[in-house]
Amino acid sequence: MQLSEQETVRREKLQKLRSLGINPYPANLYPVNHTSKQIKEQYQEGKKVIIAGRLMSRRIQGKASFAEVQDSEGRVQVYFNRDEICTGEDKSKYNEVYKKLLDIGDFIGIKGELFTTKVGEKSVRVKEFTLLSKSLRPLPLPKVDAEGNIHDEFNDPELRYRQRYADLVVNPHVKEVFIKRTKLFAAMRRFFNDAGYMEVETPILQPIPGGAAARPFITHHNTLDIPMYMRIACELYLKKVLIGGFEGVYEFAKTFRNEGMDRTHNPEFTMMEIYVAYKDYNWMMEFVEKLLEYCAIEVNGTTKATFGEYEIDFKAPYKRVTMTDAIKEFTGFDISGKTEDEIRKAAAEMGIEVDDTMGKGKLIDEIFGEKCEGNYIQPTYIIDYPKEMSPLTKEHRDNPELTERFELMICGKEVANAYSELNDPIDQRERFEQQLKLAQKGDDEATEFIDYDFLRALEYGMPPTSGLGIGMDRLIMFLTNNQSIQEVIFFPQMRPEKKAPSIELNEEEKMVMGILQKEEKIALNTLKTASGLSNKKWDKTIKSLTKNDLAKVVKTDEGLFVELV
């Protein structure tokens, strides 16, 4: 393992601490009785407190020092005085341990009393401190120069997602996002529980990937010697629970779809699904409006949320637009009564890429996605989907070509999907078989599995039911003004981390490698300009990196480019 100069120094300090008889990683409990927030909100002059957290800054002035300790709720100023900590002749705990062997990022415990500084800062006067955990790697803290300019901010997305632990420490606003995420889940649970519905759990490993049209992750069960699938939805299992006699059940489900990754999709995401007996999609629309209005207030204290350039208002009621009217409004084309070939021709004329594997439902979905979806900014229900798009949905009571389904659109993205659930087992079997034909035809979004156990369960009878699914990650994006789903997932999926070079790099080489690691591929002249190196240093640097197989220069029709090996 190649260590930086700072990492080497910290390991030397670790050994010095041990040689002094100080365990840098003690096992015993530390009796914390106050947080930084409690100190500020319940301040009492002279009150004795015990706190713990990371040492985040310090200003040493001889025998006295002001520092900041950061715990789970913020920072508090602490005051170290040599003679109060070391009351006898031996001053080594302050002079050696505190001043020389502690580092920014170390976890320390402090026993002391509260006081107010001359400038009015509520602080802790340290009477005793204990090293609780030695940090061997320096935190990527930003630096502020004399003019107040901030340098070296830890804001590179790839580094932040890969090292979320460091991101949470040095970027307090990131922590607030995940606090709000937890508030959202708690609020939604409270809303459902107060309505009398029960939280349940269903299998993540499933013999058939049912309940949605998506490509699954596949694994193998060694004992049973059968393939298993990570769930793409929990719908069919939750419906089986209703068949068994429960009237309202919900689940916050880790869900997995082996598909694309972008700013609004992650292969592993959290879906909330709820099913309520004796209800329909009209009831569910009113229920969702009340639910999201309640959740927005619980998370942000208001029904309004900022998302990019938009202000979204979650206050009920929400506008309702049929799928047919939406397409007619934004394309002028009426899908009512049209054949598959007519819709395919119309889609092609709109500039939408189509092929023969796409069935009627997929074609309509492409038209809506390309031409309509992005126009709905405020919460809007798109209702009454064509039957071909909704294999698990009950036929519309007034139009046999449609189904009783809605999707909630916000800022051009689907947040919720709901049905009057199909409970006719014969109709359900026919829909499954139609989906299977589409899959065999080449439609990769049609399900290629028929869940015969679910059909058997339906034959025992399922009450009329309305079901709802909400993408929790996408919803919290809107409530916290984050444009990327990776910002609201603690540890999003990423490509394997590139191995650090095994050779010793000089400062110029490190700097050029840093630029390349952000861009991966960059025009040669652009990289040279960005490096700011003289011609001589640039030639030496790029030759060294290519010679050691860390980077390579490639020639394309557009010119010379440099990319990582």
Side-chain angles (χ1 to χ4, degrees):
M1 182 173 61
Q2 186 176 342
L3 300 177
S4 68
E5 182 180 350
Q6 287 191 59
E7 290 169 331
T8 300
V9 169
R10 288 188 179 219
R11 280 166 169 75
E12 291 170 354
K13 290 181 181 181
L14 182 75
Q15 296 307 316
K16 289 178 182 177
L17 286 164
R18 285 184 165 136
S19 68
L20 291 172
I22 297 173
N23 182 354
Y25 306 104
N28 49 304
L29 171 150
Y30 193 78
V32 175
N33 62 15
H34 279 74
T35 66
S36 59
K37 185 178 180 181
Q38 289 171 333
I39 286 173
K40 294 171 185 176
E41 293 182 351
Q42 305 166 20
Y43 181 80
Q44 294 178 28
E45 190 78 15
K47 183 178 182 180
K48 290 180 169 52
V49 298
I50 305 174
I51 63 171
R54 284 187 188 270
L55 184 65
M56 294 299 289
S57 70
R58 58 180 173 174
R59 304 182 302 280
I60 298 174
Q61 299 169 335
K63 67 176 185 178
S65 171
F66 279 101
E68 282 186 305
V69 171
Q70 178 172 297
D71 63 13
S72 63
E73 296 188 343
R75 292 189 185 188
V76 64
Q77 181 170 272
V78 295
Y79 173 67
F80 289 82
N81 183 288
R82 183 191 66 190
D83 296 331
E84 291 199 46
I85 293 169
C86 309
T87 54
E89 293 295 321
D90 184 2
K91 307 296 183 183
S92 61
K93 185 163 186 181
Y94 180 84
N95 290 336
E96 291 296 319
V97 178
Y98 173 71
K99 290 177 67 174
K100 298 179 180 179
L101 300 182
L102 290 192
D103 287 296
I104 301 302
D106 289 351
F107 279 91
I108 58 173
I110 289 173
K111 295 180 181 179
E113 59 184 39
L114 303 184
F115 78 105
T116 306
T117 67
K118 292 178 181 179
V119 295
E121 181 81 13
K122 295 179 175 65
S123 306
V124 180
R125 179 179 283 109
V126 180
K127 298 295 184 180
E128 179 186 329
F129 74 89
T130 304
L131 176 61
L132 301 177
S133 181
K134 182 67 181 166
S135 172
L136 298 183
R137 186 183 291 266
L139 290 169
L141 288 167
K143 300 174 182 63
V144 182
D145 62 23
E147 286 75 38
N149 299 311
I150 300 175
H151 304 277
D152 300 328
E153 286 187 274
F154 192 59
N155 54 16
D156 178 76
E158 180 167 345
L159 286 176
R160 288 180 47 243
Y161 304 154
R162 207 177 287 285
Q163 300 181 38
R164 182 70 84 187
Y165 35 85
D167 188 29
L168 292 166
V169 175
V170 304
N171 291 321
H173 66 279
V174 174
K175 188 173 184 180
E176 184 61 29
V177 169
F178 291 99
I179 290 172
K180 287 187 173 184
R181 181 184 173 107
T182 295
K183 285 183 178 179
L184 172 62
F185 280 73
M188 200 170 281
R189 277 193 172 94
R190 193 158 51 244
F191 192 90
F192 293 153
N193 293 343
D194 289 347
Y197 308 135
M198 190 173 76
E199 184 172 8
V200 299
E201 293 180 305
T202 62
I204 293 176
L205 281 177
Q206 301 181 354
I208 291 176
R215 185 180 296 112
F217 285 93
I218 306 173
T219 186
H220 186 81
H221 194 300
N222 288 337
T223 301
L224 297 178
D225 193 24
I226 57 172
M228 298 290 282
Y229 303 86
M230 302 289 279
R231 72 173 161 210
I232 58 174
C234 49
E235 177 171 347
L236 303 188
Y237 282 93
L238 289 175
K239 287 180 178 178
K240 291 175 187 178
V241 175
L242 283 189
I243 292 167
F246 289 89
E247 291 190 6
V249 295
Y250 69 93
E251 181 173 12
F252 290 97
K254 276 291 186 183
T255 308
F256 308 85
R257 297 183 181 180
N258 196 0
E259 298 174 340
M261 294 171 59
D262 58 32
R263 293 172 67 83
T264 59
H265 294 86
N266 196 64
E268 176 185 352
F269 61 99
T270 303
M271 176 73 75
M272 187 291 303
E273 293 195 38
I274 183 170
Y275 295 83
V276 186
Y278 313 116
K279 310 297 184 187
D280 65 6
Y281 80 140
N282 292 310
W283 175 90
M284 186 62 82
M285 278 186 265
E286 295 180 4
F287 183 76
V288 172
E289 291 170 343
K290 296 172 186 174
L291 168 68
L292 295 188
E293 181 177 320
Y294 173 79
C295 287
I297 293 171
E298 289 295 301
V299 172
N300 287 328
T302 173
T303 61
K304 295 181 178 179
T306 299
F307 187 73
E309 62 184 293
Y310 304 112
E311 182 180 74
I312 310 164
D313 195 346
F314 286 92
K315 187 172 180 59
Y318 302 160
K319 184 180 178 182
R320 304 180 185 188
V321 181
T322 69
M323 170 69 78
T324 300
D325 287 345
I327 292 176
K328 192 185 300 182
E329 178 182 359
F330 293 107
T331 71
F333 179 69
D334 188 350
I335 62 173
S336 303
K338 297 295 191 299
T339 65
E340 181 180 310
D341 287 341
E342 288 173 322
I343 295 173
R344 181 179 286 104
K345 179 181 177 183
E349 290 172 352
M350 295 175 200
I352 297 171
E353 190 173 329
V354 299
D355 59 56
D356 292 338
T357 69
M358 298 166 70
K360 188 175 180 180
K362 180 71 180 293
L363 291 165
I364 295 171
D365 192 30
E366 288 293 314
I367 294 172
F368 178 78
E370 289 282 335
K371 302 297 181 180
C372 310
E373 193 172 75
N375 295 291
Y376 297 104
I377 305 303
Q378 295 302 321
T380 303
Y381 290 126
I382 305 299
I383 65 173
D384 299 348
Y385 279 56
K387 185 182 290 187
E388 293 83 359
M389 296 178 68
S390 313
L392 295 168
T393 312
K394 185 170 286 188
E395 183 180 286
H396 198 285
R397 65 197 74 179
D398 299 323
N399 186 339
E401 290 188 358
L402 305 177
T403 58
E404 296 197 348
R405 173 187 178 187
F406 73 80
E407 286 187 321
L408 177 63
M409 309 300 298
I410 301 175
C411 289
K413 297 295 180 183
E414 174 211 338
V415 174
N417 188 17
Y419 311 151
S420 292
E421 300 293 339
L422 181 60
N423 61 346
D424 178 341
I426 295 174
D427 189 359
Q428 181 65 85
R429 184 182 292 270
E430 290 172 353
R431 305 256 200 115
F432 276 158
E433 289 170 349
Q434 178 61 27
Q435 284 286 300
L436 186 60
K437 289 177 182 177
L438 289 172
Q440 292 169 345
K441 187 179 175 182
D443 186 342
D444 60 0
E445 290 191 8
T447 179
E448 55 182 308
F449 298 92
I450 296 180
D451 190 334
Y452 291 103
D453 181 63
F454 175 66
L455 291 174
R456 178 171 57 190
L458 273 186
E459 289 171 355
Y460 281 102
M462 185 177 85
T465 296
S466 184
L468 165 75
I470 291 179
M472 298 299 291
D473 309 296
R474 195 170 288 179
L475 178 57
I476 198 62
M477 286 171 63
F478 292 123
L479 289 171
T480 59
N481 193 18
N482 276 296
Q483 306 289 319
S484 171
I485 196 171
Q486 285 81 16
E487 293 287 353
V488 301
I489 297 174
F490 267 127
F491 303 104
Q493 268 79 34
M494 301 187 73
R495 290 184 179 87
E497 188 171 5
K498 292 183 173 67
K499 292 183 179 179
S502 58
I503 63 168
E504 187 70 32
L505 301 180
N506 62 31
E507 291 306 312
E508 290 85 4
E509 291 164 348
K510 288 179 182 177
M511 183 262 294
V512 172
M513 284 296 291
I515 298 172
L516 278 172
Q517 284 166 353
K518 291 180 182 178
E519 301 291 337
E520 293 195 2
K521 182 179 179 181
I522 185 171
L524 180 70
N525 289 334
T526 302
L527 179 59
K528 180 181 178 181
T529 301
S531 72
L533 298 175
S534 66
N535 288 335
K536 185 175 181 180
K537 284 189 175 181
W538 164 254
D539 290 340
K540 184 177 180 182
T541 299
I542 196 67
K543 284 178 181 177
S544 174
L545 294 179
T546 54
K547 179 182 178 181
N548 289 291
D549 292 327
L550 298 175
K552 63 180 179 180
V553 178
V554 293
K555 186 176 182 180
T556 71
D557 293 339
E558 298 173 345
L560 295 174
F561 286 81
V562 183
E563 60 184 42
L564 291 173
V565 174

